[in-house]
Amino acid sequence: MARKRLLWHIFPAYLLVTLVALFGVTWYMTHALRQFHMQQAEADLLARARMLAYQLRGQVDLRHALWIDSQCKALGKRTGTRLTVVLADGKVLGDSDKDPQRMDNHAGRPEIIATRSRKIGRAVRFSHTLGKPLMYVAVPAVDGDKVVGSIRAALPMTAVEAALQDIHWRIFVGGVLVAFFAALVSLWIARRVSRPLEEMKRGAERFARGELESRLQVGGSEEARSLAEAMNRMAAELHGRIRTVLQQRNEIEAVLSSMVEGVLAVDVDERLLRLNRAAAEMLGVSPEGAVGRPVQEVVRKVDLQRFVRLALGSSEPVEDDLVLHGSRDCYLQAHGTRLAGSGGQQLGALIVLNDVTRLRRLERVRSDFVANVSHELKTPITAIKGFVETLIDGGIEQPEDARRFLGIVLRQAERLNAIIEDLLQLSRIEQEAGLEGIPLEPGDITPLLRSALQACCMQAEQESIPLRLECPESLPASINGPLLEQAVTNLVDNAVKYSPAGAEVLIRAERLDRETIIEVRDQGCGIPAEHLSRLFERFYRVDKARSRKLGGTGLGLAIVKHIVQAHSGTVSVESEPGQGSCFTIHLPDAPDRS
């Protein structure tokens, strides 16, 4: 059903009431005027009949028939009224319009019959004599105590109807004008009533759009003003409450967004209600597209889905360790508790996720470090102990064997000393970088690179490996010269060790995008991709047997990493098995020590 404006509800009703009232008044007035006019016409005819009766008193008989007829015609002509004199037996003595001799006997006329009882006769009927309707009024003609006849006055109804028609027309024209002005007044009243409501409607639409600062300015009746004031108070209260709610929501959103812990809330149907940025990053989903969808659809992790069901089904807080498998395994520590409403009813569950992947990795690194350092230290110690026991058990009495055994003990002691020295140096670099920072000074990298190549050239010549340097004549940077030289030396030394004879080792340095880049590229055996992420860990070896055969403590790349970090830089590696490796040091122009 089509909806109509209030104006078109009120205006037609007002107009209909006005028209009905106007029609009723017009009908009543028309009827009353008709009655009044008929009564006036009847009274006029009665007066004329009585006047004629007075003039003819005592002379209503056959002897005066001609005189009576002439009087009727003369008086009827002057008054415009049909006058008729009838004897008691119904014979017509005189008539203003017709010849009495040719007229029918009127003894049976209703108005004539009434006069015989000394009453006034009245009738409205069609006259066959004149061929039109007439109004008749008759009075008795009395001679002493005897009724000798009737004197009748008649008036054509056409004259009455003409007068009434004129009155009706005037009433109709007046009614139309009154109806027109009534319609205008009704429209004005309807608009006056509906305009405040339309203003309040527009104001309510502004409130619905959130424009709660605007206010309604409504006039009109006291009820409209009161309603407008109530709506203004409502808008003010809503504005205050919404502002409070928005402020609280923003505070909650800021807290949730700032949390490093992942927070997600689900309802009893396991649909996501809320997801903060940290949780979205942990789960690899978009917060906007995840809210409102089932957990099983958003996060396809069986462990997390199981924990959500556990949290929803438990009345006590629960916790568990989760592993989200993917391109990089993510270890999470999950805490879950039920969400309850103000009435105690369960609304869902709140899950808090702590990313402990780094802690697990550090724990693994620590465990591997302990195992590796124990193994690295145990190997030379075992060799030293074994040969010393051999010497004690009599080997010392054989000079040649004793000298060979002591040489082995010396090499193992030197290896043990190198490991300890590297560990101490690594510890010093970490402490200096963490407390006061390693002092950096403006310097030229080119001489430093030449020194690193010179330190490795003897070993490279023995392996028939050419070393090539590509570097500008001057390459200034903010550096710690001895430490950076050691880092480059370690990289070049590794490149020489793992390169086949005749394969070139390239050292290249340049400035690029406000940083200094040092590359050490070899053509050796390369490194499988699964080892690249752990290559700079302490004592981590890709090929343990070959690494020990080539010598080294297993700390060289770890030292490189910490030296570069002390320069506020980074070190990276690109390698493919059989294609060689490229180690790159990135040194920024202005190291950030904050």
Side-chain angles (χ1 to χ4, degrees):
M1 183 176 179
R3 296 183 299 176
K4 295 189 293 185
R5 294 173 57 190
L6 179 62
L7 173 66
W8 300 114
H9 284 280
I10 297 176
F11 173 63
Y14 278 6
L15 186 58
L16 179 62
V17 170
T18 303
L19 292 178
V20 169
L22 183 62
F23 175 79
V25 171
T26 302
W27 177 84
Y28 175 77
M29 290 295 296
T30 302
H31 181 72
L33 286 172
R34 181 180 181 84
Q35 291 294 111
F36 175 76
H37 198 70
M38 294 292 285
Q39 291 173 359
Q40 288 295 107
E42 184 179 322
D44 186 52
L45 290 175
L46 179 61
R48 295 177 185 182
R50 283 176 175 174
M51 182 181 67
L52 181 60
Y54 178 77
Q55 290 180 356
L56 299 179
R57 64 185 180 277
Q59 299 179 11
V60 179
D61 54 32
L62 290 174
R63 294 174 299 167
H64 302 89
L66 294 176
W67 179 78
I68 290 173
D69 184 58
S70 63
Q71 289 294 321
C72 289
K73 286 181 169 54
L75 189 59
K77 186 176 181 180
R78 288 196 299 271
T79 60
T81 306
R82 181 184 181 188
L83 298 173
T84 306
V85 178
V86 182
L87 289 175
D89 59 359
K91 181 177 177 60
V92 180
L93 293 180
D95 187 85
S96 60
D97 291 341
K98 294 294 183 179
D99 184 4
Q101 299 297 324
R102 296 180 179 182
M103 294 178 67
D104 297 334
N105 188 285
H106 283 42
R109 302 290 195 271
E111 66 276 9
I112 301 300
I113 295 172
T115 60
R116 294 173 186 166
S117 302
R118 294 180 177 268
K119 296 179 182 179
I120 298 174
R122 299 177 178 85
V124 176
R125 69 176 182 276
F126 185 81
S127 173
H128 294 284
T129 303
L130 299 180
K132 54 186 175 182
L134 292 117
M135 175 185 288
Y136 297 96
V137 176
V139 297
V142 181
D143 186 6
D145 294 333
K146 182 181 178 182
V147 176
V148 296
S150 302
I151 299 174
R152 186 183 67 179
L155 186 68
M157 289 297 297
T158 53
V160 176
E161 293 296 336
L164 289 176
Q165 187 175 6
D166 182 65
I167 294 174
H168 290 166
W169 174 252
R170 294 187 182 189
I171 291 176
F172 174 75
V173 173
V176 171
L177 293 177
V178 171
F180 176 74
F181 286 109
L184 294 179
V185 172
S186 299
L187 181 61
W188 178 78
I189 294 174
R191 288 188 61 83
R192 184 176 177 82
V193 172
S194 64
R195 185 179 294 112
L197 296 179
E198 292 177 354
E199 290 292 333
M200 284 185 277
K201 173 195 171 187
R202 287 190 286 269
E205 290 174 348
R206 291 196 299 271
F207 294 160
R209 292 194 298 267
E211 301 174 11
L212 297 175
E213 299 87 350
S214 62
R215 292 293 177 266
L216 297 176
Q217 302 293 335
V218 178
S221 64
E222 178 63 25
E223 291 80 1
R225 290 194 184 96
S226 299
L227 181 57
E229 292 172 358
M231 291 183 67
N232 286 335
R233 287 195 300 271
M234 177 193 69
E237 293 178 3
L238 281 177
H239 182 58
R241 292 181 183 180
I242 291 175
R243 184 169 53 192
T244 301
V245 170
L246 289 176
Q247 182 179 358
Q248 292 175 349
R249 188 187 70 177
N250 292 336
E251 291 173 356
I252 293 174
E253 289 292 341
V255 171
L256 291 177
S257 298
S258 302
M259 290 178 64
V260 294
E261 295 85 359
V263 178
L264 60 123
V266 296
D267 61 13
V268 292
D269 296 325
E270 299 184 25
R271 291 182 178 275
L272 281 171
L273 300 175
R274 181 65 66 88
L275 187 73
N276 73 340
R277 178 180 53 80
E281 291 177 355
M282 291 178 188
L283 303 178
V285 298
S286 170
E288 294 78 12
V291 174
R293 297 166 59 192
V295 174
Q296 296 84 351
E297 182 180 337
V298 176
V299 183
R300 302 184 183 276
K301 307 294 182 182
V302 178
D303 288 350
L304 181 61
Q305 297 173 8
R306 175 186 55 79
F307 185 78
V308 169
R309 289 192 292 270
L310 178 64
L312 287 171
S314 176
S315 59
E316 300 293 332
V318 295
E319 61 179 71
D320 197 2
D321 292 330
L322 309 178
V323 180
L324 303 184
H325 299 285
S327 58
R328 183 178 66 88
D329 290 346
C330 182
Y331 297 88
L332 302 177
Q333 189 178 55
H335 299 267
T337 184
R338 296 177 68 182
L339 282 176
S342 57
Q345 72 277 16
Q346 184 179 3
L347 301 179
L350 182 68
I351 311 297
V352 179
L353 304 174
N354 291 289
D355 190 351
V356 294
T357 304
R358 185 170 179 273
L359 295 177
R360 292 294 179 88
R361 186 178 294 113
L362 291 176
E363 179 66 21
R364 185 180 63 182
V365 170
R366 184 193 64 80
S367 177
D368 291 347
F369 172 73
V370 171
N372 289 331
V373 75
S374 299
H375 183 78
E376 294 293 337
L377 293 177
K378 185 177 180 181
T379 300
I381 290 175
T382 300
I384 292 173
K385 180 180 178 183
F387 285 107
V388 169
E389 289 176 349
T390 301
L391 290 173
I392 293 175
D393 291 339
I396 196 170
E397 296 178 356
Q398 299 179 4
E400 293 183 1
D401 290 338
R403 181 179 294 278
R404 185 168 56 85
F405 291 162
L406 289 175
I408 294 175
V409 169
L410 177 60
R411 288 194 301 274
Q412 294 299 328
E414 289 176 348
R415 174 175 174 76
L416 186 61
N417 181 65
I419 293 174
I420 294 173
E421 285 293 334
D422 284 349
L423 285 173
L424 290 176
Q425 183 180 16
L426 190 58
S427 178
R428 284 195 301 270
I429 294 172
E430 289 179 338
Q431 290 179 357
E432 291 177 0
L435 295 177
E436 299 178 356
I438 294 176
L440 302 179
E441 297 178 355
D444 191 357
I445 293 180
T446 303
L448 180 149
L449 298 179
R450 292 195 180 101
S451 298
L453 262 66
Q454 188 175 1
C456 300
C457 65
M458 184 176 296
Q459 181 182 357
E461 289 177 356
Q462 292 176 357
E463 301 293 336
S464 300
I465 296 175
L467 302 178
R468 182 161 62 92
L469 175 63
E470 292 183 1
C471 181
E473 291 296 327
S474 177
L475 189 59
S478 181
I479 58 174
N480 183 299
L483 288 181
L484 187 59
E485 181 180 346
Q486 181 179 356
V488 176
T489 301
N490 287 355
L491 293 178
V492 175
D493 182 65
N494 276 355
V496 171
K497 287 180 181 179
Y498 292 96
S499 294
E504 181 184 71
V505 174
L506 172 64
I507 301 91
R508 187 170 64 89
E510 62 178 344
R511 284 183 58 81
L512 183 64
D513 295 334
R514 299 188 63 184
E515 66 176 5
T516 301
I517 296 177
I518 302 174
E519 291 183 357
V520 177
R521 186 183 299 273
D522 63 56
Q523 302 176 14
C525 58
I527 305 168
E530 63 269 18
H531 297 287
L532 295 178
S533 61
R534 302 190 60 189
L535 199 59
F536 294 95
E537 295 178 10
R538 304 172 190 185
F539 296 111
Y540 185 82
R541 299 177 186 271
V542 177
D543 187 345
K544 295 180 175 58
R546 183 178 181 186
S547 298
R548 292 193 178 92
K549 180 180 179 182
L550 295 174
T553 62
L555 296 172
L557 292 180
I559 292 174
V560 171
K561 173 185 174 182
H562 284 82
I563 290 175
V564 174
Q565 288 179 346
H567 285 75
S568 299
T570 58
V571 59
S572 60
V573 58
E574 296 178 0
S575 182
E576 292 184 11
Q579 301 295 323
S581 304
C582 178
F583 289 83
T584 306
I585 295 174
H586 300 264
L587 301 177
D589 289 350
D592 185 5
R593 298 184 175 279
S594 57

